[in-house]
Amino acid sequence: MKLLDTKFFNEYINMALHGDALGWHERNGGNFTYWMTKENIDDIKEELSLDEEWRPIGTCVPFLANEYFLISGTGKFFHNMRKDPTSTTGIIQVNEIGDQYKICWGFTDGGRPTSELPTHLMNMEVKGQQNKKNRIIYHCHCPNVIAMTFILPLEDKIFTRELWESMTECPIIFPEGVGVVEWMVPGGKEIAIKTSDLMKKHKYNAVIWAHHGVFCSGTDFDSTFGLMHTIEKSAEIWIKIHSCENKKRQTITPDGFRKLAKEFGVILNEEALFEKNY
């Protein structure tokens, strides 16, 4: 089977184009990684080149040793993925130690994986250890979430609470809440460590990067995109509320959230149900 005809590759491209259509991937903004299964590799192994040079990842991810990843390219535009997939995307393999990678497919004309490769792989390792079915890392520039980071204190519990209050479905979809990272230079090991520490310690599936965007993780394309979409929609509602009024007249109470959690069988992050004084 040809890679371009596989179900997983087309789901990957469709998700990227959906995010681009929503305005989350201006120019070359955002990046996207899929951890390929053994079955995926077996289907397209004849198209893979295994003789390329090894290159440093910039970190070490031993849990991902010898694994393969479909990943977006640095400097590439998401809206070009369908018409030029071999340039905008590629498949890489991690070496047996976990500190290097090689390009096995794609990235034609000297292309490389996203500059945020260390962050993607460090967080993929964390989420994969928490849930073996976890296979997606997705980063985009959601405008309403970014706008919130200029207004609210950059604290996990505050962002979680405000997003939960803005739309009833939010605590059901991300009961663990969201993490928040203060502004940092993207693409380096420092922000990778900070993000993966939050995902590891609190088991967040989404981390907000101040003045930059959102970093999401999930088990499949639909659930990961759905998480990102839910967070951004809630942020949009929050921005609309606060464009009209400084304070809410009424909202969901902590007891209301607890009743919701009991009804839907989820365990909420109790740290977000604090007594508000801001």
Side-chain angles (χ1 to χ4, degrees):
M1 181 182 293
K2 292 290 186 181
L3 172 61
L4 300 186
D5 297 328
T6 60
K7 183 174 183 288
F8 77 86
F9 188 84
N10 281 281
E11 287 180 338
Y12 179 96
I13 297 296
N14 288 340
M15 179 168 152
L17 294 180
H18 193 177
D20 183 65
L22 289 171
W24 299 350
H25 297 286
E26 75 296 331
R27 199 174 182 273
N28 62 314
N31 27 74
F32 184 16
T33 299
Y34 169 62
W35 181 357
M36 299 171 68
T37 66
K38 182 180 182 302
E39 291 73 22
N40 296 153
I41 297 300
D42 289 342
D43 284 343
I44 53 96
K45 60 185 177 182
E46 293 182 359
E47 294 186 64
L48 300 181
S49 173
L50 303 178
D51 299 324
E52 300 299 319
E53 64 176 305
W54 292 103
R55 310 165 192 249
I57 293 172
T59 188
C60 190
V61 285
F63 185 76
L64 305 180
N66 300 314
E67 298 292 335
Y68 292 82
F69 301 88
L70 172 61
I71 189 168
S72 56
T74 185
K76 303 299 182 180
F77 295 19
F78 271 38
H79 67 254
N80 289 332
M81 278 194 183
R82 176 67 68 189
K83 59 187 177 183
D84 193 8
T86 59
S87 173
T88 54
T89 67
I91 293 174
I92 65 170
Q93 182 188 23
V94 174
N95 69 357
E96 62 184 10
I97 298 173
D99 63 347
Q100 295 182 312
Y101 75 94
K102 64 181 175 184
I103 297 171
C104 301
W105 180 91
F107 297 133
T108 55
D109 302 319
R112 296 283 185 89
T114 171
S115 61
E116 288 171 351
L117 178 63
T119 312
H120 278 241
L121 293 184
M122 285 182 70
N123 286 277
M124 189 75 81
E125 180 173 59
V126 167
K127 300 308 296 183
Q129 288 173 321
Q130 292 174 359
N131 182 356
K132 292 181 180 179
K133 294 182 179 180
N134 194 290
R135 298 233 161 226
I136 309 287
I137 292 289
Y138 179 49
H139 167 57
C140 67
H141 301 165
C142 296
N144 292 289
V145 176
I146 294 172
M148 288 179 71
T149 67
F150 289 92
I151 302 169
L152 285 174
L154 300 177
E155 297 180 31
D156 299 3
K157 67 178 184 180
I158 292 177
F159 268 80
T160 295
R161 179 66 168 275
E162 293 299 321
L163 290 169
W164 281 0
E165 286 186 7
S166 295
M167 195 165 64
T168 300
E169 288 79 3
C170 287
I172 301 167
I173 294 171
F174 51 101
E176 69 283 350
V178 298
V180 183
V181 173
E182 68 277 9
W183 185 86
M184 302 174 75
V185 176
K189 189 173 182 179
E190 187 179 3
I191 194 169
I193 292 172
K194 182 73 173 181
T195 306
S196 61
D197 282 349
L198 285 172
M199 286 190 164
K200 183 176 182 179
K201 182 178 179 181
H202 302 284
K203 297 187 177 180
Y204 295 136
N205 290 309
V207 174
I208 294 168
W209 288 353
H211 323 320
H212 184 161
V214 186
F215 203 80
C216 272
S217 177
T219 58
D220 56 53
F221 296 105
D222 282 345
S223 63
T224 308
F225 192 87
L227 173 60
M228 185 74 78
H229 202 179
T230 301
I231 291 171
E232 171 61 3
K233 184 175 181 180
S234 184
E236 180 182 3
I237 294 168
W238 191 93
I239 291 293
K240 287 179 176 179
I241 293 167
H242 290 273
S243 296
C244 299
E245 293 285 346
N246 187 38
K247 290 188 176 182
K248 304 167 191 172
R249 186 181 299 275
Q250 57 270 324
T251 187
I252 307 169
T253 65
D255 282 344
F257 283 122
R258 293 185 180 102
K259 290 177 182 177
L260 189 68
K262 183 177 180 181
E263 184 69 24
F264 284 87
V266 297
I267 300 174
L268 294 181
N269 179 356
E270 280 285 333
E271 290 184 5
L273 301 181
F274 59 94
E275 189 68 31
K276 294 172 69 171
N277 58 5
Y278 59 89

